[in-house]
Amino acid sequence: MLIIHDNRLPEEAISNLQKQGECLSFHTKGITHEAIAGHPDVFFCPVNGKVIVAPNIPDTYMDFLSGKRIPFVLGEKAIDNNKYNATSYNVVISDKYVIHNSKFTDVSVLDETKDKIFIHVSQGFTRCSLMPLKEDCFLTSDKGIEKKLLENGLECYYFSPDDIVLSGFPYGFIGGSMGQYRNMVFIIGRLKYHSQGDKIECLFKRLNYEVVELYNGPLFDGGSLFFIDTE
């Protein structure tokens, strides 16, 4: 298993991830805003057993994926400092749905998800703000996303972003502080430091998830964690 993570995660979190599988510690320079320069959910979009990657990520990362025989597709839109050009791959993809602001979705994502139902939301940083779970259940830190998913008959729960850390900003986003692999949810931080952590924990228990808290500290928005099978 390959785990893609921002190289600026807390040291304890990285150490614990390394116990789970091989890690690809990711970061870029001079491409986009420093706060999100290492966020996997800005540059990568896993779908259908492959990974869509922004065409302007450093070649070393493409070489790494090739060396591991992980199939990847180059997207069309390059990431840059424009807020909206940093959202092209920040898409939530579940078994049935694609959730994103359709104005910014890269065509490569649309091509790979033609068999799924597209739900348009106003938030371009959708994957940052929304965590897809099993059984068409979602948790989000964006009220607009919550409203839209509920209107579409999906189960969605809002949790405040106030207790989530993102360097340079007053708060982070809940989707960016987590990742899912099979029946496990990995959290960059401990739920006890979130004002609604007990409710989040109850939701995970109801869905029979094993919860892995990666370091002893507040939830940390690292731009999501992506887990990719390599066997």
Side-chain angles (χ1 to χ4, degrees):
M1 175 175 66
L2 176 68
I3 307 165
I4 305 177
H5 67 82
D6 190 317
N7 74 348
R8 298 167 297 180
L9 296 189
E11 192 172 313
E12 182 185 355
I14 294 176
S15 177
N16 283 322
L17 282 173
Q18 290 171 341
K19 297 173 185 176
Q20 300 290 333
E22 183 175 8
C23 289
L24 174 57
S25 185
F26 181 75
H27 195 68
T28 65
K29 289 186 178 181
I31 293 179
T32 189
H33 299 288
E34 182 60 23
I36 59 174
H39 282 194
D41 58 19
V42 169
F43 292 87
F44 301 90
C45 183
V47 58
N48 297 335
K50 62 187 74 170
V51 185
I52 298 172
V53 301
N56 59 329
I57 66 169
D59 290 343
T60 53
Y61 295 113
M62 294 189 198
D63 293 341
F64 181 90
L65 294 176
S66 295
K68 296 296 178 182
R69 298 184 180 179
I70 295 173
F72 65 90
V73 175
L74 286 181
E76 290 195 3
K77 294 181 182 178
I79 302 297
D80 62 28
N81 280 313
N82 183 301
K83 171 184 175 182
Y84 301 106
N85 290 342
T87 65
S88 301
Y89 310 97
N90 201 257
V91 185
V92 167
I93 302 172
S94 69
D95 290 341
K96 298 179 183 177
Y97 301 97
V98 180
I99 305 168
H100 198 222
N101 186 319
S102 59
K103 295 178 182 178
F104 310 123
T105 317
D106 192 78
V107 65
S108 63
V109 177
L110 298 176
D111 287 344
E112 292 289 337
T113 58
K114 290 178 180 177
D115 60 330
K116 300 181 187 293
I117 299 169
F118 194 104
I119 298 178
H120 170 79
V121 295
S122 60
Q123 173 62 265
F125 287 104
T126 312
R127 182 61 185 84
C128 293
S129 307
L130 181 67
M131 179 68 185
L133 303 172
K134 63 178 71 169
E135 300 176 12
D136 293 336
C137 183
F138 300 83
L139 59 84
T140 185
S141 55
D142 185 288
K143 282 285 191 180
I145 290 177
E146 179 197 33
K147 182 174 184 290
K148 192 62 176 285
L149 296 194
L150 291 176
E151 288 175 351
N152 280 268
L154 299 178
E155 189 177 358
C156 185
Y157 299 93
Y158 171 84
F159 295 100
S160 171
D162 291 342
D163 299 320
I164 303 172
V165 175
L166 177 60
S167 179
F169 291 87
Y171 57 83
F173 300 93
I174 201 160
S177 69
M178 301 180 184
Q180 178 185 333
Y181 181 70
R182 297 182 180 174
N183 204 45
M184 304 172 74
V185 172
F186 293 82
I187 302 172
I188 311 170
R190 289 197 174 174
L191 292 173
K192 70 178 183 180
Y193 293 105
H194 193 284
S195 60
Q196 297 169 287
D198 56 341
K199 294 182 179 179
I200 300 173
E201 186 175 12
C202 285
L203 175 60
F204 289 148
K205 285 183 177 179
R206 179 170 68 79
L207 295 172
N208 294 313
Y209 277 112
E210 177 184 348
V211 176
V212 180
E213 296 174 312
L214 293 169
Y215 88 107
N216 185 19
L219 269 60
F220 182 98
D221 183 349
S224 308
L225 299 168
F226 289 148
F227 298 83
I228 301 168
D229 283 316
T230 54
E231 297 179 357

